[in-house]
Amino acid sequence: MDWLDAHLIPALDGVAYGMLLFVVAAGLTLAFGSGGVLNLAHGTVYAMGAYIAADIGDGSWGMLVLALAVGAAAGATSGGVLAVAVAPVARRGHLDQALLTFGIALVGGDMLVSYFGADQRQVAVPKALEDSVTIAGHQYPTYRLAFIGVAALLAGLGYWLLVRSTAGAAVRATTDDPEMVAALGLSPRVVHTATLVVAGALAGGAGVLGAPIITPSPETADTVMLWSLIIVVVGRLGSVLGALFAAIAVGEVQTLGVVLAPDLAPYLLFGAMGIALLVRSGSGILPEFAARARVLATRARALKGGGA
Amino acid sequence: MTDEEHMAEVVPLARPRAERAAAADGGAPSAPMLDIRSLTAGYGGGAVLHGIDLTLPRGGVLAVVGPNGAGKTTLLHAVAGLVTPSGGSIRIAGTDVTGKPPHIVARVGTAIVPQGRRVFASLTVEQHLRLAERAGTKRRAWTPAARAAARARVAGPVWTRADVVRLLPRLGERHSHRGGELSGGEQQMLALARALLLSPALLLLDEPTEGLAPAIAHEIHGLLRTLAAQGLTVLIATPQAALVDGIADDAVYLTSGRAATATGPGTDAGFASALTGARDRADRHA
Amino acid sequence: MNTRLSAVIAMSSRYGTVARRAALAVVVVWLLVLPQLVDTYTLVLATQALVFGLLAVGVGVLTGHAGLATMGQVAPYAVGAYTTAWLTRHDITAGLLQLPAAALAGALFAAVTGIVVIRARGVVALMLTLAVGELTATAAVQWKEFTGGSDGVSTPPARIFPGGAELFDDQDIYLYVLVVALVVAGITALVLRSPAGLLLAGVRDNEDRMRAAGHPVDRYLLLTYTGAGAISGISGALLMTYARYVSPQDVGFDISALALLAVVIGGVRSTAGAFAGAGLIVFTRDKLGNWWPGHAPLFLGILFLIAVYLLPNGAAGVAQQLRSLADRMGLRVPGLVPRTPAAAGAGDGTVPASGAPVPEEADAR
Amino acid sequence: MSLIRRTRRRAAASIVLAAALVATAACSKDSGSNNDTVKLGLLVPLSGVYKSIGEDMKRGFELYVEQHNNKFGGHKIEVVVADEGEAPGVSLSAATKLVKQDKVAAVVGVSSGAAVAAITPMLADNRVPLIGSGGRPNLQNIDRVWNTSWMSDETGAAIAKYVKDTVNGPVGIIGPDYQGGQDQIRGFTDTFVKAGGQVANSGGKPTFTPWPGTTNFLPYLSQIAQSGAKAVYTFYAGSAAVDFVKQYKQSDAKDIPLYAAGFLTEGATLAAEGDAARDIYSVLNYAPGLDNPANRNFVSAYNAKHKTQPNLYAMCSFDAGSVLDRAITAIDGKVTSEAINNAIRGLGQIDSPRGAWQFGANHSPVQKWYLRQVRPDGQVLSNVVVQELATLGS
Amino acid sequence: MTDLLTVTELTRSYGSFVALDRADLTVAEGARHALIGPNGAGKTTLLNLIAGTDLATSGRIAFAGRDITWQRPHRRSRGGIARTFQHPSVVPVATVLDNVLLGAWHHHTAAPWRRAGRRRIADDCRAILETVGLTGLEHRQAGELSHGRRRMLDLAVALAGRPRLLLLDEPAAGLTDADVTVLLAVLRDLSDDVAVLLVEHNLDVVAAFARTVTVLHHGRPLVTGTPAEIQADPAVREAYLGRRKVAETA
C-alpha cells in the first residue's frame, strides 16, 4: 500500500505527461506518418505556438481561446509554407527533406528568438487552473489534470478525423496508394497540402496549450522535436493509437521510470526507445534470434535423439 | 443463368444494347468515347508501347488481349493518366487528356479497376465507398484544370452507395472490414464498386478475374456482363480472349507493345483451350 | 564510377580518371600551401573542417555506400576522442600511437553496437543510431573517471613521434591533421573503389539479390559499420590534437546531425564531397556566423536551404554539372566527359531518385 | 522542367561554390592592430539555451565600458563580441577567433564552466588572460584565469549553516546532474552535514536529475515530500529553474520551505516564475536591492538603459570591466596581455555593487554572501536581502 | 533418381492469412519441375521459403540431405540453391558484367580479391552472358537495360552461382516471343546436374520445358504429374482452368 501510495503520483503523472507528449507529437504524426514529410521544423512550430500563448495569454479564458486560435492559424500557415517548400524535393527522399526542414527550423528558430527574446516567458493560466488539486491525499497541478482531459478529447477527435471521417480516409488512402487516390479524381497534392496545414495547426495549437507545462525558451524547439520524433517512430509512423501508446510509454519512462530506477535515469529515454524499436521492428534482430534459437533447439533435439 | 437474372432484376440501370449510344451522352456528341493515336509510353525512359492506334465508340466494350508484358497495363495506365505518354494523343469524348494528371482524367469521366485491385489496405469497405462516392459526386473544382475537366465531363450512369451494395451484396456484409482483410474476390468487387461510384462514362478494367477462385471469377464475370449490357463504355485488358467471352464485342491483340491488331467480333469462338493450345505449339517446337 | 569494377578488369583507358586525378592533385597542393595563403584563424578553421570532414566521411560511407543513414557516428568519434585523452593523460602523447588506438577503440565500439544497428533500415536505423549516440554521450557525462564528466577533459599537446616535439604551432597541427585526413580519406576511397565498393553497392541497391547470390550481407554491413567506426575514431583523435579538449556536449546529437547534413550537402557517395560539405558548414557557422554574433544558426539554415534547392546532387554534383554544361556548350574535353550519362550519375554522389521503381507489365503481386 | 531553368540552377550552384572558394581565399593574412587601442574579447552565449544569460552579461560589461567613455586608463577600448554558443567546442572556436584573428588583449565573460575548461589551455598557450564572469570549473592552471563571479561550491556552503540552524529536521536536496550542478549541491551538502545537518533523501545522498532534458520534476518532488523533509535545498538555473519552481508550488512539496542557490530566482527566470517563486529563500553574492553607493549607481544606470533590474550575471560582468579598468590604469607602459595579467595580480580591493571584494588565492572573489527572499517590491517580485550570511573565498 | 529437395508440411502464414498450408514437395536431382497454379496459390511463397528469402512458420525443408529450414539465404546459395526473382533483380548501378561477377563471387574457384582471379572469373562470366544473349552489353549499367534483358541478366547471375538447384520465378513474364525462345534454349542447354524448379504462368514454356508439373492451389499442392496427366486431371481443370469453364458455360 505504501509502495502504491509512493508511486501513484508518478504513475498518474506519467499518463498526464504522456498525454502532453501525445498532443505535442500529434502534428508530426500526421505530417510524417500520413503526409510523408519528415518535418524537422515541427518543434519550431510548437515553440511559435508557445510564444504566442505567452504573449497573448493574460490569465483570462477569452485570451486563452484567442491565443489558441492565433496559434493554430499561425501553425496552419507554416504548414502551408512547408507544403510549398517541400514540393520541389518531394521525390528526392527523406534525407533531402530533412536537410530542407532542418534549414527551415534553424532560420525559423532564429527569427522566433529574435522576435520574442531569449528570456524564459511566464505563461499566464486562467485562475481556476493555476493551482493544484488533491487526489488521494496527493497534490497534483490542476492544469495538467485539465490537460489530460483536453488531450483525451484531442486524441478522440484525431482518431475520429483520421480513422473515421471521409477526409481522414482520403489522407490514409493517399498514404496507401496516391495513384489510386488520383484515379478517384482527388489530387494527392491537395490532400497532401491539406494534411500539412492541419498538422501545422495541430503543432501550433499544441504549443499554445502546452506552453504552461513546456515553457517557451530557445531550447523548446529542439526538445519538442526530439520527443516527437521518438514518439512517432516508436508508435509506428502515422498511427494515432500507436503514437498515443508510445507517448504514454515515454511519459511513464520519464516519471515512474526515474523513480523506480534512479541510477539508470539518464539512460532511460533512449535506452527504452532502442529496445522498443528492436522489439517492434519487423526486420529487426529478434526474428533472427528466434530463428537461430530454433536452429539450436532442432540441433539439441537431434543430439538428444542420437544419444537415446 | 440464375445469377444473371438476379442481377438484371435488382439493377434498375440495365438497358438493352440498342440504347447504348443514347445512354452515353455528354461531351462532343460525334466524337468516339476513346480515341488513341500513335501512342508511345513506358516507364523510366524505356518505351513499352510503340505507336498504338485505337478507337472505342460510345457504349462499346473492347477487350485488349495479349500475353503478360505485352503492354496492356501500360495502355490502360496511359489512358487513366497514371503513365505520361512520350508521344501520341489520347482523347476522351473529344477532350484531349494526353499527359493530364490522373485526377483530371478521372474528372473527365474515367474510372479504372487496376490490376491487382489496389484497394486501400487501411480503409474499411464503407470508407472506400464513402470516399469514392464523395469523390464522384461532391467534387469541387479549385483549379482551372479541374474546372476545365468538369466542363468536359462525360456523364455516365449515376451510381450511389445503395446501388453498388445492391449490386454487390457481399460488400454490405463486410462494410466494416479493412481492405487488407478482404479476400481476393471481395477486393475485386470493392475495386469495381470504387470505380462505379465515380459514375464514369468510360470504365477501364485490368485483368479483373486474375487470381480469383473459379466461382468468384464466375461471379465477377456475370457482373461485368451486366454492366456491359447497361451501356457502359468499357476497355478491358485480359490475357485470354476466352475470359471476356460474352462481355466484349470487339478485341485488340497486343504483343510486345508494338502491334495492335483489331479483330472483328466473335474471335473468341476460335480460341482454343489454353493448355491444349500451348501443348500443340510445344509439340510443333519439338 | 567506383563500382565500375569490370572497367578496371578491362584495363581500358580512363581519361576521366586522369582528369579527376589532376583536379585532386590541384586541391591537395592548394591544401598543402594553405598555411601560406590564409591567416591563423582561418587555418584553425580549416583544421576544424578537416576533422569534421573526416567524421563526415565515416557518415558518408554508411549513408551513401552502405545505405544506412546514421545519426550516431559521434559515438565512435567520442570513443576515439576520449581514448586519445586517456592516452595523453597517461603520457602516451605520440600521435602515431594514438591514431591506431583511437581507430581500434572506435572500431571495437562500432563492432559491438553494430550487431544491433545493421539489422535496421531507413528511419528505424536513423533512430537506433541516434539512440546509440545519445546513450554514449550520456555515458560520457556519467563516467567521470574516464571522461571528466560534463565539464569535459583537457589534455596537454600531442606529438607526432614518441619523444618528438610537441604539436603546438597552428601550422604544424594543420599539416599533421591534413596528412592524416588525406591518408585516411584516401584509403577509404581506395577501398570503396576496390571490389569491396562493388559488394557494398550490391548490398545497398539489392540486398535480396546479394543474399541469393551467396553474399553474407549482414557481415558486410557489420564490417562496414566497424570500418566507419574506425574512421570516426581517428577523427576523434584528431579532435584532441587540435582542440585538446572534449566534453559530452561536443559529441551531442547536433554534431551527428550536422555531419549527416554535411554528407547530404556534399553528395552522399563522394569522399571529397564529405569534406566539401563539412568545410561549408564550418565556414558558414564560424566565419559567416561571426559577422553577426549569435546568429550562426540562421546562416547555417540558409546554407541548408540553398544546398537543397541549388545543389540537388550535392556539391560533388556541381563538378558533374559543370562537366555536362561544358559538354552542352561544345567544350568537349575528352577526359571531362563521362562515358555514359548514367554512369556519371551513379558514381559521383548522385542519390538515385527515390520511389520510382519501374512497374512491370507482369502482375505485381 | 525547362532547359533555361535548369541551366540557371546549375549556374547558380556553381556561383555559390565559387563564392565560397573566393571567400576562403579572401581571408588573407591580416595586419597588426592600432597600438593606442586595447581590444577586449567579450565571449558570451548569444545563441542557444543560455542566450538570456549571455545578454545580461553583455549588458553589464558594455554598461561599464560606456560609463567610462570607452576608455580604460587613457587607452581606447574596443570590445569584440563573440558567441559562446552551447557546446564548449563552439566556444573554443569563437575564443580562437578572438585571440588569433582579432588579437584581443584579454577575454571577458564565458558563462559555462565547461566552456572555460575548453578555452583556458588555448588562452594559456597564447598568454591571454581570462576575466571570467560566469561559471568556473576545476582548473589545473589558473595563472591567467580570474573570476569576478563565484566558485560553484561556495554558494551552498554560504547558506548551509543558516539552513541547519533554522530548519528543525532533515532537508531534501536536489539538483541537476552536471558538473556545475554537482559542485553547487556538494558545497551545500558537505558544509550542511559537517554542521550536523541531516539529509532527508533516501540513502542520505542528494538527488540528481538527468541533465539536460529533465523538464518534469513532479516525481522527484513527490519523493522528497514522502521523505519527510522539513525543508528543501536546490540549485537550478534557466528554464529548468522555471519548471522546477512552478511545479514545486503545485506538488506535494508545496508547503515545504524552499531554499536555493540564488540562480533559481535570478533575472528573467524570476519573471517567468511569477507568483510561484514567492517566499523562496536563496543565497547569492548579490541582490539589486543592496544598499551601497556603487549599487545605487549601477542599478539606476542599468534600469535607465534596459528598463529592468540588473541581476548577478550583469553585475559580475560589470565588475569584470571594473577589474580590467583598474588593471589597465595601473599599467605603466605598453598594454599587453602579460601586463594586464600582472596588473590584475596586484589589484587590491575592488569597489563593487555587491560590496567591496578582492581576489583570493584561487583567483576568485573573497566576498560576502546574502540571504534573500522573493517578495513583492512595488509591482514586481524581487529578491529582497534578508541578512548577510558569510564571507567566503580564499 | 534421388530426391535433391524435400519439403515437408511447410506452412507460411502472415497473420491470419495462410499463404502456404502444410505443403509437401520433392524435387529430384536434375529435375525439370514446374509449379503452376492461379495467383495467390503460394507459388512464389514456396520459392522464397526454399531460397531462404522468407522463413517458414512451420514445417521442414531438406536439401541434399541436410535440414535447411532455418539456414540463412547466403548459406543456401553457397550450398547450391540459386534463384531468379519475379521482378528481375539486378544491381542497377553496377555494370552487366559486374552483376554476373557478384553472382559468381562465392562460387568460383578463383579468388575474386586478386586481380588475376577476377580476370578469370570475368572470363567465365562473359561466357555465361553469351549463353543468355547479352554479349556486347557487358559494360552497360544494369539499370539501363530493358525489362527483358534484365530478366536474362537475372538468370545469368543465378547461373553464375553454379547451382545444383535453380529456382526460377516466372522467368518468361514480360518477355517477347523471341526472348522466350532464347530462354527456352538456355534452359534446355542446362546440364543434367542442375535441377530446375520453375514457377510459370506461360503454359507454352511449361509445356515445352517441364517433365514434372505440380499444381498448387490455395497454398497446397493439388496434384503432381507429367504435363499430359495434369491436363487430363479433372481436379486441375476445376481449380486452375476454372476460368475457362466459365467461358464455356456462358
Side-chain angles (χ1 to χ4, degrees):
Chain A
M1 196 59 220
D2 241 17
W3 190 90
L4 188 72
D5 192 46
H7 295 91
L8 174 71
I9 284 292
L12 170 70
D13 195 39
V15 176
Y17 210 61
M19 287 297 216
L20 169 70
L21 294 177
F22 169 73
V23 173
V24 163
L28 189 67
T29 306
L30 196 58
F32 192 13
S34 299
V37 177
L38 177 53
N39 179 17
L40 294 181
H42 171 74
T44 314
V45 179
Y46 173 95
M48 179 173 70
Y51 275 119
I52 287 172
D55 240 32
I56 295 182
D58 63 352
S60 69
W61 288 98
M63 282 315 217
L64 180 65
V65 171
L66 178 68
L68 194 57
V70 173
T77 311
S78 59
V81 170
L82 186 75
V84 172
V86 166
V89 300
R91 293 185 69 88
R92 273 201 264 146
H94 276 161
L95 278 181
D96 279 40
Q97 272 183 19
L99 186 64
L100 173 68
T101 53
F102 194 61
I104 293 174
L106 287 175
V107 172
D110 189 273
M111 282 159 60
L112 274 185
V113 173
S114 299
Y115 183 76
F116 289 105
D119 293 346
Q120 292 89 38
R121 296 301 209 84
Q122 185 182 16
V123 184
V125 171
K127 265 275 176 278
L129 299 177
E130 214 174 357
D131 279 328
S132 53
V133 290
T134 310
I135 302 170
H138 292 281
Q139 295 295 317
Y140 198 74
T142 317
Y143 190 87
R144 288 202 190 188
L145 216 54
F147 202 98
I148 298 183
V150 173
L153 205 70
L154 202 71
L157 189 73
Y159 182 80
W160 179 82
L161 256 178
L162 197 60
V163 180
R164 295 258 168 262
S165 77
T166 309
V171 171
R172 280 184 299 137
T174 309
T175 316
D176 280 355
D177 191 339
E179 279 197 341
M180 279 304 112
V181 171
L184 290 180
L186 297 169
S187 163
R189 186 145 173 208
V190 169
V191 176
H192 189 245
T193 305
T195 309
L196 289 182
V197 166
V198 173
L202 271 176
V208 173
L209 292 178
I213 305 178
I214 303 178
T215 322
S217 76
E219 76 210 271
T220 308
D222 288 354
T223 314
V224 165
M225 185 65 237
L226 204 57
W227 282 345
S228 307
L229 208 54
I230 291 172
I231 286 161
V232 172
V233 175
V234 172
R236 283 177 199 274
L237 311 179
S239 153
V240 177
L241 289 180
L244 184 62
F245 286 132
I248 290 178
V250 170
E252 289 293 353
V253 160
Q254 290 197 314
T255 50
L256 204 55
V258 297
V259 173
L260 292 177
D263 294 339
L264 293 178
Y267 302 97
L268 274 180
L269 180 59
F270 285 98
M273 176 184 92
I275 292 168
L277 287 181
L278 283 179
V279 169
R280 79 145 187 70
S281 154
S283 63
I285 196 165
L286 292 182
E288 170 145 356
F289 279 172
R292 290 200 172 181
R294 262 183 285 195
V295 176
L296 289 177
T298 317
R299 281 194 195 148
R301 231 177 292 138
L303 277 177
K304 238 193 249 167
Chain B
M1 296 295 294
T2 52
D3 269 3
E4 210 173 325
E5 282 159 19
H6 174 70
M7 302 274 175
E9 185 191 15
V10 295
V11 181
L13 294 154
R15 262 158 293 188
R17 283 194 172 211
E19 289 177 30
R20 269 180 191 170
D25 52 358
S30 58
M33 185 59 83
L34 179 64
D35 189 13
I36 297 175
R37 296 278 163 82
S38 20
L39 180 70
T40 316
Y43 301 92
V48 177
L49 299 177
H50 309 269
I52 303 289
D53 288 297
L54 195 151
T55 309
L56 178 56
R58 287 165 190 244
V61 178
L62 180 67
V64 180
V65 186
N68 278 344
K72 302 186 297 290
T73 296
T74 310
L75 176 62
L76 262 58
H77 277 196
V79 174
L82 294 167
V83 169
T84 308
S86 48
S89 72
I90 302 168
R91 285 171 178 277
I92 292 174
T95 309
D96 189 358
V97 297
T98 321
K100 290 274 180 350
H103 65 276
I104 295 298
V105 180
R107 281 157 180 255
V108 171
T110 320
I112 185 168
V113 179
Q115 190 182 33
R117 280 83 78 171
R118 290 173 77 168
V119 298
F120 303 116
S122 60
L123 265 56
T124 62
V125 169
E126 200 254 335
Q127 285 169 340
H128 272 90
L129 301 186
R130 208 143 41 97
L131 183 63
E133 189 183 46
R134 181 78 65 90
T137 55
K138 294 181 185 157
R139 48 173 63 132
R140 297 198 188 97
W142 301 99
T143 60
R147 278 195 287 276
R151 274 196 302 277
R153 180 167 174 78
V154 216
V158 175
W159 287 81
T160 65
R161 260 191 285 170
D163 291 336
V164 296
V165 173
R166 224 176 302 147
L167 180 68
L168 303 159
R170 202 182 296 226
L171 292 183
E173 290 161 23
R174 308 216 58 178
H175 78 281
S176 60
H177 288 80
R178 289 175 190 278
E181 299 165 356
L182 301 181
S183 75
E186 288 163 342
Q187 286 190 345
Q188 189 65 54
M189 291 175 191
L190 182 55
L192 185 61
R194 182 174 69 181
L196 289 178
L197 281 170
L198 300 182
S199 305
L202 171 62
L203 184 63
L204 309 171
L205 293 162
D206 198 351
E207 304 204 17
T209 56
E210 179 200 30
L212 297 185
I216 308 288
H218 188 180
E219 199 177 331
I220 299 278
H221 195 262
L223 281 174
L224 296 182
R225 224 175 318 153
T226 314
L227 290 174
Q230 284 169 11
L232 202 61
T233 316
V234 180
L235 187 63
I236 178 166
T238 171
Q240 291 155 6
L243 300 180
V244 289
D245 192 19
I247 302 172
D249 37 35
D250 225 340
V252 158
Y253 280 97
L254 206 62
T255 32
S256 306
R258 223 167 266 282
T261 325
T263 56
T267 33
D268 45 307
F271 202 84
S273 122
L275 193 54
T276 315
R279 263 185 57 78
D280 288 349
R281 284 191 293 282
D283 289 346
R284 259 179 275 129
H285 269 293
Chain C
M1 254 167 265
N2 43 25
T3 57
R4 310 200 75 206
L5 182 68
S6 54
V8 180
I9 299 166
M11 281 289 154
S12 59
S13 60
R14 287 163 64 86
Y15 295 112
T17 307
V18 173
R20 279 169 66 113
R21 282 185 188 158
L24 201 63
V26 169
V27 171
V28 169
V29 168
W30 180 70
L31 285 171
L32 283 170
V33 300
L34 198 63
Q36 267 64 54
L37 301 175
V38 298
D39 63 292
T40 332
Y41 175 58
T42 308
L43 199 63
V44 172
L45 284 188
T47 312
Q48 214 174 318
L50 283 170
V51 174
F52 185 46
L54 201 54
L55 175 65
V57 168
V59 174
V61 167
L62 289 175
T63 305
H65 292 273
L68 286 175
T70 168
M71 280 276 272
Q73 216 46 28
V74 273
Y77 173 76
V79 169
Y82 280 116
T83 303
T84 310
W86 187 84
L87 289 175
T88 316
R89 282 184 303 156
H90 290 75
D91 288 330
I92 303 173
T93 50
L96 290 186
L97 297 175
Q98 289 177 348
L99 291 176
L104 193 69
L108 273 176
F109 175 87
V112 173
T113 53
I115 295 172
V116 171
V117 169
I118 56 142
R119 322 268 156 169
R121 302 284 180 274
V123 179
V124 174
L126 205 66
M127 295 304 282
L128 268 181
T129 49
L130 172 71
V132 169
E134 285 294 275
L135 289 174
T136 309
T138 307
V141 175
Q142 300 294 317
W143 193 13
K144 282 189 204 145
E145 302 79 45
F146 186 64
T147 63
S150 62
D151 264 1
V153 53
S154 296
T155 64
R159 307 156 201 274
I160 298 181
F161 306 102
E166 283 191 337
L167 269 175
F168 200 71
D169 184 63
D170 293 321
Q171 279 202 23
D172 297 347
I173 293 175
Y174 169 80
L175 288 175
Y176 170 71
V177 168
L178 175 65
V179 169
V180 174
L182 283 181
V183 169
V184 173
I187 292 172
T188 309
L190 280 180
V191 170
L192 291 174
R193 266 156 199 264
S194 79
L198 178 64
L199 295 178
L200 223 44
V203 170
R204 178 191 65 227
D205 287 351
N206 202 334
E207 224 173 281
D208 282 344
R209 173 76 270 177
M210 290 295 279
R211 285 211 169 91
H215 293 275
V217 166
D218 290 349
R219 208 171 305 159
Y220 292 175
L221 286 178
L222 187 59
L223 212 60
T224 311
Y225 193 77
T226 307
I231 296 173
S232 304
I234 292 177
S235 172
L238 293 180
L239 167 75
M240 292 314 292
T241 305
Y242 89 83
R244 284 155 50 198
Y245 172 85
V246 64
S247 76
Q249 282 197 287
D250 293 315
V251 294
F253 100 98
D254 46 341
I255 305 290
S256 270
L258 283 184
L260 182 58
L261 296 178
V263 168
V264 178
I265 291 176
V268 286
R269 265 174 242 162
S270 163
T271 309
F275 282 105
L280 269 176
I281 285 180
V282 169
F283 178 81
T284 306
R285 188 187 63 189
D286 292 339
K287 197 95 188 176
L288 297 185
N290 277 328
W291 289 350
W292 191 12
H295 295 271
L298 179 69
F299 290 103
L300 270 186
I302 293 170
L303 169 72
F304 294 161
L305 296 184
I306 291 174
V308 169
Y309 291 123
L310 296 186
L311 307 175
N313 298 327
V318 174
Q320 184 197 325
Q321 285 173 347
L322 288 177
R323 247 180 280 165
S324 56
L325 191 68
D327 197 13
R328 186 166 308 147
M329 289 163 64
L331 304 172
R332 264 180 170 275
V333 186
L336 288 176
V337 182
R339 269 179 294 183
T340 56
D348 280 359
T350 316
V351 193
S354 61
V358 182
E360 300 303 345
E361 277 293 325
D363 62 324
R365 262 131 264 261
Chain D
M1 198 190 304
S2 79
L3 183 70
I4 294 171
R5 249 181 81 193
R6 260 163 77 170
T7 315
R8 207 193 299 152
R9 236 161 78 159
R10 290 204 174 116
S14 357
I15 288 166
V16 170
L17 202 78
L21 288 175
V22 169
T24 326
C27 303
S28 53
K29 301 225 166 198
D30 51 359
S31 53
S33 55
N34 191 338
N35 272 345
D36 281 351
T37 309
V38 178
K39 274 192 178 177
L40 298 173
L42 179 63
L43 183 64
V44 292
L46 295 171
S47 63
V49 185
Y50 303 114
K51 182 177 158 80
S52 172
I53 291 174
E55 277 172 357
D56 291 335
M57 295 171 82
K58 184 161 172 273
R59 286 169 177 181
F61 187 73
E62 287 180 345
L63 180 66
Y64 189 95
V65 175
E66 273 169 40
Q67 280 188 343
H68 294 78
N69 299 320
N70 286 352
K71 279 208 165 125
F72 287 179
H75 298 273
K76 201 170 172 335
I77 297 298
E78 187 186 333
V79 179
V80 185
V81 181
D83 180 15
E84 182 186 324
E86 266 180 80
V90 176
S91 321
L92 176 60
S93 179
T96 310
K97 182 239 170 203
L98 290 176
V99 170
K100 305 214 160 155
Q101 181 170 298
D102 302 314
K103 309 258 189 306
V104 297
V107 173
V108 187
V110 192
S111 73
S112 114
V116 172
I119 67 171
T120 39
M122 187 275 297
L123 292 181
D125 290 351
N126 293 279
R127 303 177 165 276
V128 174
L130 168 70
I131 293 83
S133 53
R136 160 87 172 266
N138 264 328
L139 296 172
Q140 285 178 343
N141 178 358
I142 55 164
D143 285 352
R144 290 183 176 75
V145 183
W146 305 89
N147 271 79
T148 62
S149 44
W150 60 86
M151 295 300 287
S152 295
D153 52 356
E154 286 171 1
T155 321
I159 197 177
K161 177 97 177 33
Y162 173 85
V163 173
K164 162 76 184 67
D165 294 346
T166 317
V167 177
N168 182 23
V171 171
I173 307 172
I174 181 170
D177 196 8
Y178 67 92
Q179 194 61 49
Q182 289 156 2
D183 291 346
Q184 286 275 354
I185 293 300
R186 180 173 43 78
F188 176 83
T189 312
D190 286 359
T191 318
F192 180 68
V193 170
K194 217 173 278 169
Q198 194 193 340
V199 178
N201 306 52
S202 63
K205 288 206 174 110
T207 302
F208 286 105
T209 58
W211 182 90
T214 304
T215 54
N216 188 26
F217 296 96
L218 284 177
Y220 301 102
L221 293 172
S222 166
Q223 265 192 327
I224 287 182
Q226 299 267 325
S227 74
K230 295 283 179 253
V232 175
Y233 180 79
T234 189
F235 160 81
Y236 283 101
S239 53
V242 179
D243 291 340
F244 183 87
V245 167
K246 290 173 86 172
Q247 290 169 28
Y248 193 90
K249 278 292 149 73
Q250 297 170 329
S251 75
D252 282 352
K254 70 179 195 178
D255 294 324
I256 304 175
L258 181 58
Y259 294 84
F263 312 93
L264 190 75
T265 54
E266 195 64 5
T269 311
L270 178 61
E273 287 157 1
D275 260 357
R278 192 188 280 247
D279 296 340
I280 293 175
Y281 286 102
S282 66
V283 53
L284 210 61
N285 54 359
Y286 178 70
L290 281 179
D291 192 20
N292 66 58
N295 192 41
R296 280 196 293 274
N297 164 17
F298 173 60
V299 171
S300 68
Y302 193 93
N303 208 351
K305 188 144 187 243
H306 300 297
K307 307 278 171 284
T308 174
Q309 288 207 325
N311 57 25
L312 130 124
Y313 309 109
M315 183 276 293
C316 289
S317 299
F318 183 84
D319 272 9
S322 171
V323 165
L324 277 167
D325 185 9
R326 281 154 211 264
I328 290 172
T329 311
I331 292 170
D332 187 16
K334 199 164 161 12
V335 178
T336 63
S337 296
E338 200 68 47
I340 290 177
N341 199 48
N342 288 332
I344 292 177
R345 211 180 295 272
L347 289 182
Q349 249 194 11
I350 291 153
D351 192 26
S352 150
R354 73 185 98 166
W357 61 273
Q358 62 187 24
F359 282 115
N362 64 0
H363 292 188
S364 75
V366 178
Q367 61 188 335
K368 273 194 193 120
W369 292 83
Y370 304 95
L371 179 70
R372 324 173 308 167
Q373 189 179 27
V374 178
R375 292 177 191 166
D377 178 16
Q379 289 290 321
V380 294
L381 288 170
S382 179
N383 288 295
V384 176
V385 176
V386 178
Q387 66 174 83
E388 284 180 21
L389 284 171
T391 300
L392 292 180
S394 57
Chain E
M1 248 191 272
T2 51
D3 288 342
L4 181 64
L5 179 82
T6 316
V7 170
T8 321
E9 299 247 309
L10 202 62
T11 301
R12 178 65 169 108
S13 45
Y14 302 92
S16 62
F17 173 65
V18 182
L20 202 63
D21 185 12
R22 283 165 289 144
D24 292 323
L25 180 79
T26 51
V27 177
E29 298 261 17
R32 300 289 182 262
H33 198 140
L35 274 177
I36 64 172
N39 273 19
K43 305 183 299 284
T44 296
T45 304
L46 180 54
L47 223 58
N48 284 342
L49 291 176
I50 297 171
T53 316
D54 194 359
L55 283 179
T57 312
S58 67
R60 189 168 170 275
I61 309 167
F63 176 70
R66 291 187 56 182
D67 186 344
I68 61 161
T69 318
W70 307 112
Q71 210 175 42
R72 289 191 289 170
H74 71 270
R75 291 254 155 235
R76 301 187 200 201
S77 163
R78 293 193 197 178
I81 300 178
R83 70 166 300 179
T84 67
F85 290 79
Q86 199 171 28
H87 301 280
S89 183
V90 298
V91 179
V93 300
T95 64
V96 169
L97 187 55
D98 283 351
N99 266 282
V100 187
L101 193 76
L102 284 174
W105 196 272
H106 289 290
H107 305 280
H108 202 279
T109 49
W113 289 102
R114 292 166 185 273
R115 187 166 293 214
R118 275 203 307 278
R119 207 170 285 151
R120 273 179 51 208
I121 302 174
D123 288 340
D124 288 349
C125 292
R126 282 204 188 81
I128 295 171
L129 283 174
E130 195 180 343
T131 61
V132 300
L134 291 178
T135 301
L137 300 170
E138 289 93 338
H139 299 294
R140 286 278 291 280
Q141 280 199 289
E144 298 169 38
L145 297 185
S146 70
H147 173 86
R149 281 172 168 166
R150 252 184 276 173
R151 249 200 206 298
M152 299 314 279
L153 177 56
D154 195 9
L155 179 61
V157 175
L159 290 176
R162 302 183 172 189
R164 287 176 71 189
L165 173 63
L166 181 60
L167 308 171
L168 301 173
D169 199 353
E170 298 192 27
L175 294 192
T176 62
D177 290 347
D179 287 341
V180 171
T181 311
V182 175
L183 175 74
L184 277 173
V186 173
L187 294 183
R188 276 211 196 91
D189 287 347
L190 279 178
S191 146
D192 275 345
D193 298 343
V194 184
V196 178
L197 182 59
L198 169 85
V199 166
E200 187 52 67
H201 273 308
N202 187 332
L203 297 175
D204 286 344
V205 173
V206 173
F209 176 68
R211 287 181 221 134
T212 318
V213 178
T214 296
V215 180
L216 219 56
H217 192 57
H218 289 313
R220 305 196 72 162
L222 201 62
V223 62
T224 300
T226 64
E229 287 165 5
I230 294 299
Q231 197 215 336
D233 192 301
V236 173
R237 292 180 71 87
E238 167 63 29
Y240 189 58
L241 305 173
R243 295 189 286 187
R244 209 187 98 66
K245 222 174 108 192
V246 175
E248 280 173 354
T249 51

